[in-house]
């Protein structure tokens, strides 16, 4: 009986020692993983895109207003822009730069002009829903990526802001051309854009 008791005691002690070493190994593993995580975060910190944009706008000569949600309002070339942030990306809005009544007979021309502008490179033009006063507004937006390693962020942001003025000019130009075309008589038939899928008959060239 004494030998059995001694054996059980040794077995219990061995189990405790094994459990201690396993716990130590697990704690060591968790500590190593935590250190690696901190090292990665230190080497690749979260981008301060808003701070970068604020500095870039300052170099352009703009003084942005920072809102409670972290977005900006900024004046550039007489236009008020709204800028939102997410990660390394910024969404630039040129809000409510034109409007038209929903019952205006020229609304189809405006819709066509917007569609034409959205086929071009640059900001996307968005038509709002009809508000309580029966008004539809036009907004433009563009998503861009900023990174402090890029050498030309100032030129890039300035060029992006300038494209909003080009887009507005394109919409107005297309709108006026569509109106003029309607006023000068019936429009000539337009050939569809795309590949011709018809095949010539035998003997035709």
């Amino acid at each position: 009986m004494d030998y059995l008791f001694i054996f059980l005691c040794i077995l219990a002690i061995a189990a405790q020692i094994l459990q201690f070493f396993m716990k130590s190994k697990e704690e060591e593993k968790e500590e190593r993983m935590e250190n690696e995580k901190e090292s990665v975060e230190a080497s690749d910190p979260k981008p301060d895109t808003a701070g970068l944009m604020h500095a870039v706008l300052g170099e352009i000569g703009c003084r942005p207003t920072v809102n409670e949600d972290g977005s900006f309002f900024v004046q550039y070339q007489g236009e008020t822009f709204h800028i939102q942030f997410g990660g390394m990306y910024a969404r630039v809005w040129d809000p409510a730069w034109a409007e038209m009544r929903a019952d205006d007979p020229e609304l189809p021309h405006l819709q066509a002009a917007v569609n034409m502008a959205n086929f071009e490179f640059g900001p996307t033009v968005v038509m709002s829903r009809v508000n309580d006063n029966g008004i539809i507004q036009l907004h433009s937006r563009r998503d861009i990526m900023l990174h402090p390693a890029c050498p030309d962020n100032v030129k890039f942001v300035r060029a992006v802001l300038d494209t909003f003025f080009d887009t507005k000019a394109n919409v107005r130009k297309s709108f006026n051309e569509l109106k003029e075309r309607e006023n000068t008589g019936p429009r000539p038939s337009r050939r569809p854009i795309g590949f011709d899928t018809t095949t010539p008959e035998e003997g035709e060239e």
Side-chain angles (χ1 to χ4, degrees):
M1 293 293 294
D2 292 338
Y3 290 110
L4 179 60
F5 177 75
I6 293 172
F7 175 76
L8 292 176
C9 289
I10 293 173
L11 190 62
I13 294 172
Q16 289 180 355
I17 294 173
L18 181 62
Q19 185 178 7
F20 173 78
F21 277 110
M22 290 181 65
K23 184 178 180 180
S24 298
K25 287 286 186 183
E26 188 66 27
E27 290 176 350
E28 182 182 345
K29 181 180 178 181
E30 290 179 359
E31 184 179 358
R32 186 172 65 252
M33 292 177 64
E34 186 66 25
N35 290 337
E36 290 177 355
K37 180 180 178 182
E38 291 177 357
S39 177
V40 170
E41 290 178 351
S43 62
D44 188 18
K46 292 182 180 179
D48 182 16
T49 307
L52 177 58
M53 177 64 84
H54 197 286
V56 168
L57 291 172
E59 291 193 47
I60 292 175
C62 303
R63 295 182 178 178
T65 300
V66 182
N67 303 309
E68 291 184 359
D69 62 356
S71 65
F72 294 172
F73 278 113
V74 64
Q75 292 278 338
Y76 177 76
Q77 301 293 338
E79 198 78 9
T80 301
F81 292 89
H82 183 217
I83 307 177
Q84 302 167 310
F85 302 96
M88 290 188 297
Y89 292 90
R91 172 166 289 181
V92 185
W93 284 93
D94 183 6
W97 53 266
E99 62 182 32
M100 178 178 283
R101 290 197 57 83
D103 57 1
D104 193 308
E106 293 181 344
L107 180 61
H109 296 329
L110 180 62
Q111 292 171 324
V114 167
N115 287 336
M116 293 167 70
N118 286 338
F119 274 99
E120 303 293 332
F121 288 103
T124 299
V125 183
V126 180
M127 300 185 71
S128 71
R129 294 182 178 180
V130 183
N131 64 20
D132 294 339
N133 297 319
I135 300 295
I136 295 174
Q137 293 183 323
L138 297 188
H139 316 274
S140 299
R141 77 165 187 227
R142 184 169 181 178
D143 293 340
I144 62 174
M145 186 179 74
L146 291 178
H147 195 281
C150 296
D152 295 326
N153 280 318
V154 174
K155 292 181 179 179
F156 172 61
V157 171
R158 189 193 298 273
V160 167
L161 294 176
D162 287 340
T163 61
F164 283 87
F165 298 96
D166 296 335
T167 295
K168 290 197 298 184
N170 288 337
V171 171
R172 292 191 177 103
K173 178 182 178 183
S174 297
F175 176 73
N176 290 330
E177 287 177 350
L178 290 168
K179 282 174 50 180
E180 183 179 358
R181 188 181 302 173
E182 183 179 65
N183 294 333
T184 55
R187 284 176 282 181
S189 60
R190 297 177 60 189
R191 182 176 181 178
I193 299 174
F195 293 102
D196 186 358
T197 58
T198 58
T199 55
E201 298 290 337
E202 282 191 27
E204 292 184 351
E205 296 183 357

